[in-house]
Amino acid sequence: MSKTNFIKTKLAVSFRYICLILFLPVVIIFGLIIKLIKPLILIRWCRLDNARIGHYATNVEIYLLKKKFEIDVPDGNYIDFFYKPEIKVCNKQLDKMWKDKINILPWFVIFPLEFFRQRKILFNDDHTFETSSKDQYNLLDKSNPILSFSTKEKKKGFNFLKKIGLPENSKFVCLQVRDDAYLLNEKYNYHDYRNCDVENFRDACNFLADQNIYVLRMGSKVSKKISFSNSKIIDYATIGVRTDFLDIFLGSKCLFWLSTGSGIDNMSKLFRKPILYVNQAPIGHITTYQKTALIIFKHFLNLKNNKKLNLEELQKKNLCFATTKKKFDEENVILKENDPNEIKEATREMYTRVREGFWDEWNETKVKQKIFWNKFPYKKKLHGNIVANIGKNFLLKNENFYN
């Protein structure tokens, strides 16, 4: 963090606590009113994960869809409020768009109420709720996107595409490859097992370029430039033009996403865009509830004998839901990335599916899909109805993984 940003953060934190002290009497009165009117209307509150774009995007979307479909909502009248516990906002454009859809109160208003609730003073657990990024009711496929852009914003976005060389009505793919610059902080290094090398995507990107599809490499923080950029493969993340607005706009207008799985690719959910997930790990946390999702996995190798582990072995080692590098290390398991050809073949399949609008199983792998999902470590709260597909070539070439 730069010295200027450090000072700004300190000032923002100080301002928060000054407001907390100044407005505390008013907040206490507000809390008493909430208590008194509870028989007529329930006031609830929830924190926003405003520093992490994946959660800030999908958690709110799923919350609004559950509210629309009247799932997990109170029986009587209620009003929900949100607050931002973090000083940092991950994306100002997304923040602006959500402000028009949900009720957001200042931190210094909700913090004291939540403080009281946790100590069972005035309030019980009826006054709070949680959100989730998991679409366990398959609501995304049943609804249209909630967010949209104004005419002015659309013009701004399309002008940018023209400026960087995309002819009008050109198609492009958003490429997101998580690397060690993502969450560059020691407290997040337990996520390192998810990192990948963008150079392994060269063949896939060249394939798309050969189909006259542009590729835009996404990312607010990346460790290196791509070595294979050209007029059709644009390193948007490193050429000095990236903005919060463009991150959201591009993610909403692309043909599909090609991603290793990280925050910004949740635009595929927000705007109902197809997505190809490669290098997926852990097994149990993949996005299965998105009909237009195609998935292939990293390879799990026993460090002692260099043999690949299958689904049953991963389950025995309790690694299907492991979310830390330490857990894999403790079991002497290393994760190997998909090679360039695997990524290219999955991209070829994705392009065919998008072009033909085909999201069912291929005849040649229909049985194999069924076998895989029967072995899959399913949890209802994470997956809902499984509608995604595993990549055809991955199933054909890795039968030992699921048989």
Side-chain angles (χ1 to χ4, degrees):
M1 181 184 291
S2 68
K3 186 176 180 180
T4 301
N5 287 336
F6 177 78
I7 293 173
K8 285 182 179 179
T9 300
K10 287 294 184 182
L11 289 173
V13 171
S14 299
F15 179 73
R16 269 190 166 190
Y17 282 99
I18 291 171
C19 290
L20 178 63
I21 295 169
L22 291 176
F23 287 93
L24 185 58
V26 177
V27 173
I28 292 174
I29 294 172
F30 180 48
L32 291 171
I33 293 172
I34 291 173
K35 180 71 172 179
L36 289 172
I37 66 173
K38 183 180 178 182
L40 300 175
I41 186 167
L42 175 64
I43 305 298
R44 306 193 304 169
W45 53 82
C46 177
R47 71 187 298 277
L48 289 167
D49 205 342
N50 57 292
R52 302 287 297 278
I53 191 167
H55 289 289
Y56 198 20
T58 310
N59 286 47
V60 180
E61 179 84 1
I62 300 300
Y63 158 78
L64 289 172
L65 290 177
K66 289 172 73 173
K67 186 176 180 180
K68 175 184 176 180
F69 288 94
E70 298 184 340
I71 296 171
D72 296 338
V73 297
D75 292 332
N77 296 320
Y78 71 98
I79 299 176
D80 288 342
F81 292 99
F82 290 87
Y83 68 103
K84 302 173 188 175
E86 303 290 341
I87 295 294
K88 173 188 174 183
V89 174
C90 57
N91 185 286
K92 293 179 181 178
Q93 173 67 22
L94 184 61
D95 191 53
K96 170 189 169 185
M97 296 172 89
W98 281 142
K99 283 178 181 177
D100 293 333
K101 303 296 181 182
I102 58 176
N103 303 311
I104 302 177
L105 289 178
W107 170 87
F108 60 80
V109 173
I110 301 297
F111 177 78
L113 303 181
E114 179 61 9
F115 179 87
F116 293 145
R117 185 199 67 79
Q118 291 182 10
R119 288 153 183 80
K120 307 300 181 183
I121 301 172
L122 284 179
F123 312 114
N124 56 30
D125 291 345
D126 291 345
H127 289 280
T128 190
F129 63 98
E130 294 182 351
T131 62
S132 172
S133 62
K134 306 300 183 181
D135 184 17
Q136 65 180 110
Y137 299 100
N138 297 84
L139 302 179
L140 291 169
D141 284 343
K142 299 175 183 176
S143 58
N144 294 320
I146 292 171
L147 297 180
S148 60
F149 293 91
S150 67
T151 301
K152 183 178 179 181
E153 287 174 326
K154 289 178 183 177
K155 183 178 181 181
K156 177 181 177 182
F158 287 123
N159 281 342
F160 168 78
L161 290 174
K162 183 178 179 180
K163 182 179 178 181
I164 61 172
L166 273 69
E168 189 174 355
N169 298 320
S170 295
K171 296 176 181 179
F172 65 92
V173 165
C174 286
L175 170 67
Q176 170 67 13
V177 180
R178 181 191 180 110
D179 60 28
D180 55 14
Y182 189 75
L183 297 180
L184 189 59
N185 187 312
E186 277 192 17
K187 71 177 182 178
Y188 292 121
N189 62 13
Y190 62 88
H191 278 298
D192 286 355
Y193 70 94
R194 298 170 63 188
N195 295 339
C196 301
D197 185 356
V198 71
E199 291 300 312
N200 288 332
F201 290 75
R202 177 196 299 265
D203 292 349
C205 291
N206 285 332
F207 165 77
L208 290 170
D210 289 343
Q211 314 310 311
N212 203 30
I213 306 294
Y214 288 79
V215 178
L216 273 63
R217 191 267 190 103
M218 308 294 287
S220 60
K221 294 178 181 178
V222 295
S223 63
K224 63 181 179 182
K225 296 181 178 181
I226 55 176
S227 65
F228 51 90
S229 60
N230 56 45
S231 60
K232 280 202 168 76
I233 303 172
I234 301 169
D235 203 351
Y236 161 77
T238 68
I239 58 176
V241 297
R242 194 206 70 80
T243 67
D244 285 358
F245 164 74
L246 287 172
D247 281 356
I248 309 302
F249 178 81
L250 296 173
S252 74
K253 300 300 179 184
C254 62
L255 182 64
F256 65 85
W257 279 83
L258 168 53
S259 179
T260 59
S262 64
I264 190 63
D265 69 25
N266 280 272
M267 295 308 107
S268 71
K269 299 184 181 75
L270 249 61
F271 297 101
R272 314 302 190 266
K273 291 295 178 179
I275 182 166
L276 167 58
Y277 291 107
V278 302
N279 284 312
Q280 290 302 279
I283 300 293
H285 283 282
I286 60 172
T287 298
T288 59
Y289 44 77
Q290 202 171 348
K291 182 70 173 175
T292 56
L294 187 66
I295 304 162
I296 64 173
F297 301 96
K298 281 191 173 183
H299 301 283
F300 302 84
L301 278 67
N302 186 319
L303 187 59
K304 295 179 178 179
N305 56 26
N306 208 36
K307 289 184 178 180
K308 291 183 180 180
L309 299 176
N310 61 31
L311 271 174
E312 289 184 358
E313 290 169 323
L314 290 173
Q315 292 189 64
K316 288 178 181 178
K317 291 177 176 291
N318 294 316
L319 292 177
C320 287
F321 297 95
T323 55
T324 66
K325 182 179 182 297
K326 180 181 178 182
K327 181 63 177 173
F328 288 103
D329 290 344
E330 289 174 347
E331 296 294 335
N332 293 306
V333 173
I334 57 173
L335 281 68
K336 181 182 177 182
E337 293 181 43
N338 298 130
D339 64 39
N341 189 62
E342 285 181 294
I343 298 172
K344 177 184 176 181
E345 290 307 310
T347 301
R348 187 193 304 275
E349 178 184 353
M350 188 64 173
Y351 174 69
T352 300
R353 285 181 174 277
V354 171
R355 186 184 60 199
E356 297 180 3
F358 179 76
W359 301 107
D360 293 324
E361 304 101 331
W362 304 104
N363 287 333
E364 61 194 291
T365 52
K366 186 173 292 187
V367 173
K368 299 182 188 301
Q369 287 276 354
K370 185 176 181 180
I371 293 172
F372 174 87
W373 292 120
N374 283 339
K375 295 281 186 70
F376 181 73
Y378 177 86
K379 287 186 179 181
K380 170 65 178 175
K381 67 178 183 179
L382 298 178
H383 300 289
N385 294 327
I386 293 177
V387 292
N389 279 287
I390 306 303
K392 179 173 66 175
N393 276 278
F394 185 89
L395 288 173
L396 292 172
K397 295 180 180 180
N398 295 278
E399 292 191 51
N400 290 336
F401 181 59
Y402 55 89
N403 273 328

